[in-house]
């Protein structure tokens, strides 16, 4: 059983993330989308909100689960018995940071390997922070995130 974790902040989830979830769900037996519970970070959505949103958006993928986690990813991987981590790479700017984390995780737990999927060209520019920036100024985010969550994002910025 190849169980892989796809960790991230997903604040909010974008088409770029959805693309990685879809592609990796075909490569592994089970994908756990793991939403990082980082209490220091000033987030748009709470962790529970993000988990609920992603569960809803992935309900048609039979082998995708959504959970939240705190602390070290290597410990979470141990808890759920997964030995693959999936990360998306958009540009060289992602690379330096990602390779460092991947190598650190591998040293911490040699059974754990990180698999990188290159972003689809049409989403290469896309990040949660760009979505937040656009949404905060009332911009059109329909090309960035699934339709269902647009009202939820708009609502957050009304407050
Ligand atoms: P983090 O805060 O851990 O970087 P993110 O939610 O921003 O979390 O991203 C989670 C993962 O998804 C990361 O591996 C990131 O590189 C990847 N990712 C983000 N946006 C895209 C995109 N547009 N295309 C492909 N991968 C992406």
């Amino acid at each position: 059983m190849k169980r892989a974790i796809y960790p991230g902040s997903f604040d909010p989830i974008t088409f770029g993330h959805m693309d990685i979830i879809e592609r990796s769900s075909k490569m592994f037996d089970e994908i756990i989308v793991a939403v990082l519970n980082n209490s220091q970070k000033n987030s748009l959505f709470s962790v529970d909100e993000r988990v609920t949103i992603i569960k809803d958006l992935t309900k048609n993928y039979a082998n995708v689960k959504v959970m939240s986690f705190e602390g070290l990813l290597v410990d979470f991987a141990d808890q759920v018995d997964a030995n693959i981590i999936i990360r998306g790479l958009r540009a060289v700017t992602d690379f330096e940071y990602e390779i460092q984390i991947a190598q650190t995780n591998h040293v911490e737990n040699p059974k754990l390997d990180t698999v990188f999927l290159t972003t689809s060209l049409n989403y290469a520019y896309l990040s949660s922070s760009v979505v937040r920036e656009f949404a905060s100024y009332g911009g059109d985010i329909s090309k960035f995130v699934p339709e269902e969550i647009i009202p939820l994002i708009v609502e957050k910025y009304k407050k």
Side-chain angles (χ1 to χ4, degrees), residues 6-10 16-17 20 41 87-88 90 98 119 123 126:
Y6 178 36
S9 310
F10 308 105
H17 298 128
I20 299 283
K41 238 183 172 177
R87 295 287 287 175
R90 281 160 295 191
E98 291 292 342
T119 176
Y123 304 129
L126 193 50

Side-chain angles (χ1 to χ4, degrees), residues 9-13 43-50 53 149 152-154 156:
S9 310
F10 308 105
D11 188 37
I13 190 163
S43 59
L44 182 62
F45 289 101
S46 72
V47 172
D48 289 343
E49 286 173 324
R50 280 176 266 163
I53 288 169
I149 70 169
L152 305 176
I153 297 172
V154 169
K156 287 280 178 189

Side-chain angles (χ1 to χ4, degrees), residues 32-51:
I32 299 177
V33 180
V35 182
L36 176 64
N37 190 352
N38 185 347
S39 48
Q40 280 120 7
K41 238 183 172 177
N42 225 340
S43 59
L44 182 62
F45 289 101
S46 72
V47 172
D48 289 343
E49 286 173 324
R50 280 176 266 163
V51 168

Side-chain angles (χ1 to χ4, degrees), residues 8-74:
S9 310
F10 308 105
D11 188 37
I13 190 163
T14 69
F15 283 134
H17 298 128
M18 291 298 292
D19 176 60
I20 299 283
I21 292 171
E22 176 171 359
R23 284 157 62 201
S24 56
S25 73
K26 292 176 191 151
M27 299 167 66
F28 302 103
D29 298 312
E30 189 175 285
I31 304 292
I32 299 177
V33 180
V35 182
L36 176 64
N37 190 352
N38 185 347
S39 48
Q40 280 120 7
K41 238 183 172 177
N42 225 340
S43 59
L44 182 62
F45 289 101
S46 72
V47 172
D48 289 343
E49 286 173 324
R50 280 176 266 163
V51 168
T52 306
I53 288 169
I54 302 170
K55 272 188 182 163
D56 189 49
L57 292 172
T58 57
K59 60 177 184 281
N60 295 330
Y61 299 102
N63 64 340
V64 174
K65 277 189 182 171
V66 188
M67 297 171 79
S68 62
F69 77 104
E70 276 180 290
L72 290 177
L73 183 58
V74 285

Side-chain angles (χ1 to χ4, degrees), residues 5 7 32 48-49 51 54 56 64-65 76-78 83 86-87 100 104 114 121 137 143 149-150 158:
I5 302 175
I32 299 177
D48 289 343
E49 286 173 324
V51 168
I54 302 170
D56 189 49
V64 174
K65 277 189 182 171
F76 179 69
D78 249 355
N83 47 20
I86 297 160
R87 295 287 287 175
Q100 196 181 3
T104 309
T114 303
L121 271 182
Y137 293 108
K143 290 203 172 69
I149 70 169
I150 294 176
K158 266 196 202 153

